[in-house]
Amino acid sequence: MKKGLFMKKLMAIVFTLAIIICGMPVIKIKAALMPTLTYCGHVQDYGWQGLVKNGETAGSTGNSKRLEGVKIYLTDEYGNSIVTYRTHVQDEGWQSWKSSGKVAGTTGKLKRLEAIQIKLNGNYANQYDICYRVHVGGKGWLEWTKNGETAGSTGIGGRVEALQIKLVSKNSMSVNSSKAVLSKPSLTYKSHVGGVGWQGNVGENGVSGTTGQSRRLEALIISLKDFDGNNGVEYKAHVEGVGWQGWQASGQLAGTTGQAKSIEAVQIRLTNILSNFFDVHYRAYIQNKGWLGWAKNGEVAGSTGCSLRMEAIQIKLVIKGGSSSMDSSSAASISAQSSYSVSNNVLTINGISLTEYKIGSKCSNTYYSNINGKSTYLGGSQCLGYARYVQRKLYGYDEFNDGGKYTDISGVISYKNVTADKIKSLVNSAGVGGHIRTSNNNGTNYHSLVIIGISADGFTITDGNSDGRLTVRYKKFKWQEYVNTYGKRGINSIKKYNG
């Protein structure tokens, strides 16, 4: 017994020494492999494309083709889906969640994908991140996002054109989810009102200014940034006594303050990126007329050449190509055009007939003119006297006897600086009854013309003594035609009736 016990102890010692000398046997455990990710897209006009793998592009860029559907393949070693995903589809919104290999989106319906969300299931969500980004028409590639966050856009009609997806180890890839999705930018605007000052900001479709109070809109500030925080809008104002100002950017002032001048019309347009997604609609509330129709994308809203103040404005962003409830059947702007007629050589302007001096007859060669049966001293003869005669017939006032009723909106302009654009702006600002006084290079040899009608391509005048024989006439000029005819003379003044 003792010998047997001794042998057992000896064997135990030998075995222990063997382990110490040779080491423990190494048991190798096979590491889990990252699952294989593949996916494909259904593209406008092309149909289903072939499968692409981790990080490659499904869809197309540079072809303006919408991605209509997508399938993502990601399973465990037993073939069970470890991914779920869903898409936001044109006119439908968010669809239900799909599993590996199922179609998200549509085929055969001609509808664009607008956004996508992708996430992992179960324990795989603890081990990996699924990252993805989309290419949106009119904007390009957005930033990466991950794990169920939205990539693309909702509510703005954005078209997803391509998709990239990556499966990566947990927290190994940085993303910027806030830049992975496009949303409608915030539009605000405010007005400076005569007798009131600056009002507070209003949002889309809000009324800025006043209605029914006969207060002039003097200045306007519009604030709108694009998706990247850059300037998203440009706008300019047509100002009483000034004409069209230059274009302003988001947050800048259009119009004037402290000068008691009315904005009479505006133009508003979006910058490049936003103009791919939206139209900007706006309308003006003007003196004696109320709300005009809606203008959009740089069109004129308000009045030019009519001496009518803007009193309020509304502005709204509308998805590009989308339907709008805004009535655009009525005119968005008015100007003093088609305001005259000639019958039996009698010139009639705004319903007032110039019976004393017919077309083709001679104007007065003295400082007196016959007005409504009364000889009236006008402080000028020939073309100047005739111009003041027209003023007094139209408004009951002339610039010589009632100087406070008229304002010089141009000042002296050298013949070198007379351009078609400048004349267009000044004529529209002066309006019907505006008195253009030209001069030669030396500031002498003046000639007077009175504006009687304005159109998009030019304006119509009446004058006397253009032929040196006191003859009364009327003539329409296109903008450049006027420059070619009278531009070499320069401008001494353009007088506008203030009312």
Side-chain angles (χ1 to χ4, degrees):
M1 293 294 293
K2 290 182 179 180
K3 184 177 181 180
L5 180 60
F6 173 78
M7 291 301 295
K8 288 181 180 180
K9 289 182 178 181
L10 181 61
M11 291 298 293
I13 292 170
V14 172
F15 182 72
T16 301
L17 289 173
I19 292 175
I20 293 171
I21 295 170
C22 300
M24 288 289 292
V26 177
I27 301 174
K28 294 185 178 180
I29 301 174
K30 186 177 181 180
L33 297 176
M34 181 179 289
T36 300
L37 167 68
T38 58
Y39 47 98
C40 62
H42 188 279
V43 179
Q44 173 188 353
D45 298 332
Y46 299 156
W48 285 109
Q49 297 177 315
L51 287 171
V52 296
K53 58 185 179 181
N54 209 39
E56 295 178 341
T57 300
S60 65
T61 61
N63 297 318
S64 298
K65 299 290 186 182
R66 63 181 173 267
L67 196 61
E68 299 176 337
V70 63
K71 291 187 288 189
I72 304 173
Y73 296 88
L74 188 61
T75 61
D76 62 16
E77 58 186 310
Y78 305 108
N80 300 314
S81 174
I82 59 174
V83 67
T84 52
Y85 50 98
R86 65 174 182 169
T87 53
H88 191 279
V89 177
Q90 174 186 353
D91 300 329
E92 295 184 12
W94 286 110
Q95 296 182 323
S96 60
W97 291 94
K98 303 296 192 298
S99 58
S100 178
K102 304 297 184 183
V103 175
T106 62
T107 61
K109 293 186 176 181
L110 308 181
K111 293 187 176 184
R112 64 180 174 265
L113 289 190
E114 297 178 339
I116 190 167
Q117 296 173 334
I118 312 171
K119 60 186 179 180
L120 299 173
N121 301 336
N123 191 50
Y124 287 90
N126 299 323
Q127 300 178 61
Y128 304 103
D129 290 322
I130 189 158
C131 304
Y132 44 98
R133 67 172 182 168
V134 297
H135 186 280
V136 176
K139 180 63 173 70
W141 284 108
L142 305 186
E143 295 291 336
W144 290 90
T145 189
K146 65 181 180 179
N147 302 339
E149 297 291 335
T150 300
S153 67
T154 60
I156 67 170
R159 179 183 67 247
V160 171
E161 296 179 341
L163 170 68
Q164 293 176 335
I165 312 173
K166 289 183 178 181
L167 184 66
V168 299
S169 299
K170 197 70 177 177
N171 299 322
S172 65
M173 179 176 172
S174 62
V175 299
N176 188 353
S177 296
S178 64
K179 294 295 184 68
V181 61
L182 302 179
S183 57
K184 190 174 185 180
S186 174
L187 166 68
T188 61
Y189 46 101
K190 64 180 180 179
S191 300
H192 190 279
V193 177
V196 175
W198 284 109
Q199 297 179 319
N201 277 312
V202 299
E204 273 195 63
N205 212 31
V207 175
S208 184
T210 60
T211 61
Q213 298 183 36
S214 299
R215 295 184 181 275
R216 63 182 171 268
L217 198 68
E218 297 179 339
L220 175 68
I221 294 178
I222 304 174
S223 298
L224 179 65
K225 299 294 186 180
D226 67 14
F227 303 120
D228 299 317
N230 301 316
N231 177 48
V233 66
E234 296 176 329
Y235 49 101
K236 65 178 180 177
H238 187 280
V239 177
E240 171 190 359
V242 177
W244 285 109
Q245 297 178 320
W247 289 98
Q248 305 299 320
S250 175
Q252 297 179 340
L253 186 149
T256 61
T257 60
Q259 299 183 40
K261 292 181 180 293
S262 302
I263 289 180
E264 297 175 335
V266 296
Q267 293 174 278
I268 308 173
R269 65 190 183 191
L270 301 177
T271 56
N272 289 337
I273 292 178
L274 287 189
S275 67
N276 293 330
F277 293 86
F278 302 100
D279 295 318
V280 59
H281 292 241
Y282 45 98
R283 66 173 180 167
Y285 185 98
I286 68 170
Q287 174 187 356
N288 300 331
K289 301 290 184 180
W291 287 111
L292 302 184
W294 290 89
K296 67 177 182 179
N297 301 340
E299 296 172 348
V300 175
S303 69
T304 56
C306 302
S307 298
L308 297 175
R309 63 180 174 267
M310 271 184 64
E311 298 178 356
I313 188 170
Q314 287 179 290
I315 312 173
K316 186 174 179 64
L317 293 181
V318 178
I319 295 174
K320 200 81 173 178
S323 61
S324 170
S325 60
M326 292 169 291
D327 177 23
S328 59
S329 60
S330 54
S333 63
I334 59 175
S335 59
Q337 55 182 324
S338 302
S339 57
Y340 67 92
S341 62
V342 177
S343 178
N344 296 322
N345 292 325
V346 174
L347 177 61
T348 299
I349 308 170
N350 289 342
I352 298 172
S353 297
L354 309 187
T355 54
E356 292 85 355
Y357 300 98
K358 295 182 178 182
I359 299 301
S361 69
K362 295 185 182 300
C363 62
S364 175
N365 198 28
T366 73
Y367 280 20
Y368 290 84
S369 290
N370 181 25
I371 303 176
N372 299 327
K374 181 181 178 180
S375 181
T376 304
Y377 185 79
L378 297 176
S381 64
Q382 301 178 2
C383 62
L384 179 59
Y386 177 72
R388 292 172 176 171
Y389 154 78
V390 175
Q391 289 177 333
R392 198 160 190 86
K393 287 288 286 188
L394 291 180
Y395 300 118
Y397 304 97
D398 67 82
E399 64 190 50
F400 177 78
N401 292 294
D402 312 282
K405 295 288 185 180
Y406 290 84
T407 300
D408 182 1
I409 65 170
S410 68
V412 176
I413 301 176
S414 166
Y415 73 96
K416 297 178 181 179
N417 297 319
V418 176
T419 64
D421 285 342
K422 183 167 289 187
I423 288 298
K424 182 177 181 179
S425 176
L426 289 168
V427 167
N428 275 289
S429 182
V432 168
H435 172 201
I436 303 173
R437 185 77 166 154
T438 69
S439 65
N440 65 8
N441 299 346
N442 299 319
T444 59
N445 189 20
Y446 300 105
H447 184 64
S448 290
L449 308 95
V450 181
I451 302 166
I452 63 173
I454 306 170
S455 62
D457 63 346
F459 66 111
T460 305
I461 59 92
T462 182
D463 64 0
N465 200 37
S466 63
D467 59 355
R469 295 192 292 271
L470 302 178
T471 303
V472 173
R473 66 164 185 169
Y474 74 101
K475 176 175 174 58
K476 180 173 181 179
F477 290 98
K478 292 188 176 181
W479 304 113
Q480 187 59 47
E481 180 186 4
Y482 173 86
V483 173
N484 296 341
T485 304
Y486 285 104
K488 58 188 177 183
R489 294 177 56 86
I491 291 176
N492 184 67
S493 64
I494 298 180
K495 297 291 183 67
K496 174 182 178 177
Y497 176 62
N498 295 324

